[in-house]
Amino acid sequence: CVASQPSPSAPTRQPPSAPAPSSASPGTAPAPTPSSSAQPQTRKAAAAAFKTWVGQYNAEAWGKHYATLVNAQRKLLSAKKYAACRNKKSLPTFKWIRTVSTKANVKTTIPGTSKKAPATRVTVRLRMSGSVTVPITVHMLYEGGTWRWSLTKQGLADCRK
């Protein structure tokens, strides 16, 4: 899930369109054999994939964004509906500041499903719409040789309307 954490005592905030926890259950389906073009399954690569997500978000490249949405949510939401959902809202822009931390093998549940899996938690600092700098935490899921993200529960509900 994506959470902005301004301070340990401040309430957790979630940008309406940022990635949410992603997961897939070990043993529920055979893992695809990664091709030679597979992304590395490292914490650094998970952070780089989220940085790519931020760039695609800012560019409103919804087709590319959707292509890396976690498979369990792609089954619930078409690419056309996802793009329409994103295009109907005024969205903030983000400027990448830096990766703060990463942690592998964090158990998470994909919003809108009962599917659980290990994810890599990535915390970064982003500047939102040019003024406020906030920490954002996301869970990135590795599926079939690619780092993927998921919508928050609310983001998925909004896009499915």
Side-chain angles (χ1 to χ4, degrees), residues 9 24 27 42 46 52 54 66 69 79 82 87 109 112 146 151-152 154 156:
S9 62
T42 63
T52 298
V54 170
Y66 183 83
L69 180 65
Y82 174 72
N87 286 327
T109 301
T146 302
L151 288 161
T152 62
Q154 185 62 52
L156 181 62

Coordinates of all heavy atoms in Angstrom, one line a residue, residues 9 24 27 42 46 52 54 66 69 79 82 87 109 112 146 151-152 154 156:
S9 N 3.9 10.1 14.5 CA 2.7 10.4 15.2 C 1.6 10.9 14.3 O 0.4 10.9 14.7 CB 2.9 11.4 16.3 OG 3.3 12.6 15.7
A24 N 1.0 -12.1 -4.1 CA 0.6 -13.3 -4.7 C 1.0 -14.5 -3.8 O 2.0 -14.4 -3.2 CB 1.3 -13.5 -6.1
G27 N 2.9 -20.9 -4.0 CA 2.3 -22.2 -4.1 C 0.9 -22.2 -4.7 O 0.3 -23.2 -5.0
T42 N 15.5 -7.9 -7.0 CA 16.3 -7.3 -5.9 C 15.5 -6.1 -5.4 O 14.6 -5.5 -6.0 CB 17.7 -6.8 -6.4 OG1 17.4 -5.7 -7.4 CG2 18.5 -7.9 -7.0
A46 N 13.2 -3.2 -7.3 CA 11.9 -2.9 -6.9 C 11.7 -1.3 -6.8 O 10.7 -0.8 -7.2 CB 11.5 -3.5 -5.6
T52 N 10.0 4.2 -12.1 CA 9.4 4.1 -13.4 C 7.9 4.4 -13.3 O 7.4 5.1 -14.1 CB 9.7 2.8 -14.1 OG1 11.1 2.6 -14.2 CG2 9.0 2.7 -15.4
V54 N 6.3 6.2 -11.1 CA 6.2 7.6 -10.9 C 6.3 8.4 -12.2 O 5.4 9.3 -12.5 CB 7.2 8.2 -9.8 CG1 7.2 9.7 -9.8 CG2 6.9 7.6 -8.5
Y66 N -0.9 0.4 -16.7 CA -1.7 -0.8 -16.6 C -0.9 -2.1 -16.9 O -1.2 -3.1 -16.2 CB -2.9 -0.6 -17.5 CG -3.9 -1.8 -17.4 CD1 -4.9 -1.8 -16.4 CD2 -3.8 -2.9 -18.3 CE1 -5.8 -2.9 -16.3 CE2 -4.7 -3.9 -18.2 CZ -5.7 -3.9 -17.2 OH -6.5 -5.0 -17.1
L69 N 0.4 -3.3 -13.7 CA -0.6 -3.6 -12.6 C -0.6 -5.0 -12.2 O -0.5 -5.9 -13.1 CB -2.0 -3.1 -13.0 CG -3.1 -3.3 -12.0 CD1 -2.9 -2.4 -10.8 CD2 -4.4 -3.0 -12.6
A79 N -8.0 -2.4 -19.1 CA -7.1 -1.3 -19.4 C -7.9 -0.1 -19.7 O -7.6 1.1 -19.3 CB -6.2 -1.7 -20.5
Y82 N -9.4 1.4 -16.6 CA -8.4 2.0 -15.8 C -8.0 3.4 -16.4 O -7.9 4.4 -15.6 CB -7.1 1.1 -15.7 CG -6.0 1.8 -15.0 CD1 -6.0 2.0 -13.7 CD2 -4.9 2.2 -15.7 CE1 -5.0 2.6 -13.0 CE2 -3.8 2.9 -15.1 CZ -3.9 3.0 -13.7 OH -2.8 3.7 -13.1
N87 N -8.2 9.4 -16.2 CA -8.4 10.6 -17.0 C -9.5 11.5 -16.4 O -9.6 12.6 -16.8 CB -8.6 10.2 -18.4 CG -7.4 9.8 -19.2 OD1 -6.3 10.3 -18.9 ND2 -7.5 8.9 -20.1
T109 N -1.6 -8.4 1.2 CA -2.8 -8.9 0.5 C -3.1 -7.9 -0.6 O -3.1 -6.7 -0.4 CB -4.0 -9.0 1.4 OG1 -3.6 -9.9 2.5 CG2 -5.2 -9.6 0.7
G112 N -8.8 -5.9 -3.0 CA -9.9 -6.4 -3.9 C -9.9 -7.9 -4.1 O -10.7 -8.4 -4.8
T146 N 8.8 -9.6 -13.6 CA 8.5 -8.1 -13.7 C 8.0 -7.6 -12.3 O 7.2 -8.3 -11.7 CB 7.4 -7.9 -14.7 OG1 7.8 -8.3 -16.0 CG2 7.1 -6.4 -14.9
L151 N -3.4 -1.2 -7.1 CA -4.2 0.0 -6.6 C -4.5 -0.2 -5.2 O -4.6 -1.4 -4.7 CB -5.5 0.0 -7.4 CG -5.4 0.5 -8.9 CD1 -6.6 0.1 -9.7 CD2 -5.2 2.0 -8.9
T152 N -4.8 0.8 -4.5 CA -5.3 0.7 -3.1 C -6.7 0.2 -3.2 O -7.4 0.2 -4.3 CB -5.4 2.1 -2.4 OG1 -6.3 3.0 -3.2 CG2 -4.0 2.8 -2.3
Q154 N -9.4 1.6 -2.1 CA -10.3 2.7 -2.5 C -10.1 3.0 -4.0 O -11.0 3.3 -4.7 CB -10.0 3.9 -1.6 CG -11.0 5.1 -2.0 CD -12.4 4.7 -1.7 OE1 -12.8 4.2 -0.6 NE2 -13.3 4.9 -2.7
L156 N -9.1 1.0 -6.4 CA -9.7 -0.1 -7.1 C -11.3 0.1 -7.2 O -11.9 0.1 -8.2 CB -9.4 -1.4 -6.6 CG -10.0 -2.6 -7.3 CD1 -9.5 -2.7 -8.7 CD2 -9.7 -3.9 -6.6

